[in-house]
Amino acid sequence: MMIRKQLYVKCLIAMFVLSIATEGIVIGTERKPKIVVFPFKSNCSLNQLSLGIEDVMRSELNRSGYFTVVDADVTYEYVKEAVLYDVIKIDNTDITANTSKSKMVDLFARIDQKVIVRIAENLHADYTVKGTLNQFGEKFRADIEVAKVKTAGTLSSLVGECESKEKIIELAEKLCQQIVTVCRDVNVVKEVEAIQSSYRQGRLTYEEVVNRLKKLSSEIPGVFAIHCALFVHYLRHPEKQEDLITEGEYLINMLNAGNKEDMEYLSLSGTDPFYELANVYIVTENLSGAIDTYNRAIKIYPVNHAKYYKQLGILYKLEDKYNEAVNAFEQALKIYPADLDTRLRLVALYEANGDISRATEQCQSCLKYAKNASEGGKVKETLARLQAKKK
């Protein structure tokens, strides 16, 4: 009995350890996008070449490490089934399961896109690749369509050419690099979020996150989400001021190009690179840099203008630029008239410049925007002082 009990306990411990190990594997391994490469239609005198190009592409896409690639035999079985059922049904074509592979592929090329999407869904694929290999004398050209299964839409149409049959493998490799880029562009936001999530969970160090984001940026240059993530990451570390300025300027230059998707991403991200970058410039005593940042923000970013104008007013006042400061505060109040703090700053600015009349007028306007007795009392004290100066 004792022996059985010991064995039972050992089994429980083993199962517990195994469950932890399995959980670690599931959590630690992110699912790769799945891609299916359909057989290419041949318009060549050498059919075996077109029947082989997709095999090279499967190998290259698998070797990229980015995708899980559907096996060729599995893909062809689904292709054959689609042809046998749909082509016979629609065209009443006389074909059998023993029809040659080249003819089956030619017939598959005529199948409706909805059927192709359905095949990909049955294969649990995220992306599809299908194409045609054409021959023009000694030259070859591949026309490829990369589609996203979830949206049933074409992501990209790629074209590649080579001078001879010996270059077809090289052609396929280049096209695969482009396919990886196209699909990574679509998923890059998810990749960025996965990196950030791993950092929050303590699975990545600060430097590992920086290295991964920079590596991702080198592989997929010019992606706003990557640089936005780097900017936010640097914000957490005050010693990274130079890096923060570099990324902040890069983000602003990207927004200056007027990309709507970048604007939408920023509006949903909860990050304001203009405000944060300006603050860094202020900390480093570069007030002109902060002023320039806010002025650019007003021109290219359609939100937060009241805040930007208010900050400009404060900065212009620090720079002893009276007219610019007044104008900035007035612009802020046109957008948000109820901002009592901005109104009181404008009152102080008028008073410091000796314009008691305008200061008094503005202070009287402040009374209706006071939200409580404390604010009201402060305004009344200021108004009393100004009226005493007018006497």
Side-chain angles (χ1 to χ4, degrees):
M1 190 72 178
M2 181 64 69
I3 295 173
R4 284 186 179 180
K5 186 177 181 180
Q6 289 174 344
L7 287 172
Y8 178 68
V9 172
K10 286 182 180 179
C11 286
L12 285 177
I13 292 171
M15 289 172 66
F16 177 71
V17 172
L18 181 61
S19 67
I20 293 174
T22 304
E23 183 181 0
I25 291 169
V26 172
I27 293 173
T29 305
E30 296 168 5
R31 178 185 174 275
K32 295 179 181 179
K34 197 172 189 179
I35 191 166
V36 53
V37 181
F38 289 114
F40 277 42
K41 177 176 170 54
S42 169
N43 291 320
C44 306
S45 60
L46 301 169
N47 284 336
Q48 69 271 22
L49 291 175
S50 59
L51 295 175
I53 186 172
E54 67 268 15
D55 291 329
V56 176
M57 296 186 75
R58 284 191 193 93
S59 177
E60 284 299 307
L61 290 172
N62 187 58
R63 199 162 65 89
S64 72
Y66 185 72
F67 294 107
T68 296
V69 185
V70 178
D71 183 75
D73 292 336
V74 175
T75 301
Y76 183 68
E77 285 304 313
Y78 276 82
V79 167
K80 186 166 65 174
E81 183 180 335
V83 172
L84 289 172
Y85 282 91
D86 287 82
V87 176
I88 291 174
K89 193 184 300 181
I90 296 170
D91 295 342
N92 194 28
T93 306
D94 183 20
I95 61 171
T96 68
N98 295 322
T99 299
S100 68
K101 188 172 182 178
S102 59
K103 185 175 181 181
M104 199 73 76
V105 172
D106 288 342
L107 290 170
F108 177 74
R110 298 162 56 188
I111 286 180
D112 187 85
Q113 178 66 18
K114 292 180 181 178
V115 178
I116 293 173
V117 170
R118 190 162 65 245
I119 295 172
E121 287 175 339
N122 290 335
L123 289 166
H124 305 292
D126 301 289
Y127 301 97
T128 65
V129 175
K130 64 186 182 74
T132 305
L133 187 64
N134 303 290
Q135 184 175 0
F136 305 96
E138 295 297 318
K139 296 182 179 180
F140 294 87
R141 168 175 162 152
D143 293 271
I144 293 177
E145 182 181 321
V146 183
K148 188 174 183 179
V149 177
K150 188 175 182 179
T151 59
T154 299
L155 287 178
S156 183
S157 296
L158 307 175
V159 178
E161 296 180 348
C162 62
E163 299 295 322
S164 64
K165 63 182 181 181
E166 289 79 15
K167 296 284 187 178
I168 288 180
I169 292 178
E170 184 180 327
L171 169 63
E173 291 172 349
K174 289 180 179 179
L175 287 169
C176 284
Q177 293 171 5
Q178 294 179 48
I179 291 169
V180 172
T181 299
V182 167
C183 295
R184 288 195 76 175
D185 281 348
V186 174
N187 285 328
V188 68
V189 173
K190 289 184 178 179
E191 287 195 55
V192 169
E193 289 174 351
I195 293 171
Q196 291 174 316
S197 177
S198 294
Y199 177 70
R200 288 193 296 269
Q201 295 172 25
R203 289 157 53 191
L204 291 176
T205 66
Y206 175 83
E207 288 301 330
E208 284 174 334
V209 171
V210 171
N211 292 336
R212 288 200 182 190
L213 289 172
K214 284 186 174 181
K215 184 176 184 294
L216 193 59
S217 178
S218 66
E219 294 169 348
I220 315 175
V223 177
F224 186 83
I226 301 173
H227 292 280
C228 194
L230 274 168
F231 182 83
V232 171
H233 199 59
Y234 290 139
L235 268 177
R236 302 185 181 101
H237 292 261
E239 73 277 9
K240 295 289 185 178
Q241 288 178 349
E242 290 186 10
D243 292 320
L244 188 66
I245 289 172
T246 299
E247 288 300 331
E249 290 291 346
Y250 192 88
L251 285 176
I252 293 173
N253 289 334
M254 291 182 77
L255 287 172
N256 197 38
N259 188 307
K260 291 182 179 179
E261 292 182 358
D262 292 346
M263 291 286 188
E264 290 175 2
Y265 181 86
L266 184 60
S267 65
L268 295 172
S269 69
T271 301
D272 187 341
F274 302 100
Y275 180 74
E276 301 294 351
L277 179 60
N279 282 342
V280 176
Y281 278 132
I282 292 169
V283 169
T284 57
E285 299 182 0
N286 184 355
L287 297 188
S288 60
I291 289 170
D292 180 61
T293 298
Y294 282 128
N295 278 321
R296 283 188 290 166
I298 290 166
K299 291 178 181 177
I300 63 178
Y301 194 48
V303 296
N304 297 334
H305 283 191
K307 179 172 75 173
Y308 298 156
Y309 276 120
K310 180 177 179 178
Q311 294 302 316
L312 275 173
I314 295 170
L315 291 169
Y316 280 132
K317 183 179 179 181
L318 291 172
E319 292 269 275
D320 294 325
K321 295 181 178 180
Y322 174 77
N323 291 331
E324 289 87 343
V326 169
N327 179 66
F329 284 136
E330 287 177 346
Q331 292 296 325
L333 291 173
K334 284 181 181 179
I335 300 168
Y336 185 37
D339 188 348
L340 181 62
D341 182 69
T342 298
R343 288 189 177 277
L344 289 174
R345 287 179 183 276
L346 190 54
V347 169
L349 191 62
Y350 287 143
E351 184 181 4
N353 198 54
D355 195 340
I356 305 303
S357 177
R358 292 179 73 182
T360 302
E361 182 182 347
Q362 184 61 241
C363 196
Q364 288 172 336
S365 298
C366 289
L367 287 171
K368 63 179 178 179
Y369 293 108
K371 297 176 183 177
N372 51 53
S374 175
E375 289 183 351
K378 182 179 179 181
V379 172
K380 288 176 182 178
E381 286 179 9
T382 304
L383 185 58
R385 186 183 70 250
L386 291 170
Q387 288 173 338
K389 284 186 176 182
K390 289 181 69 175
K391 293 179 182 180

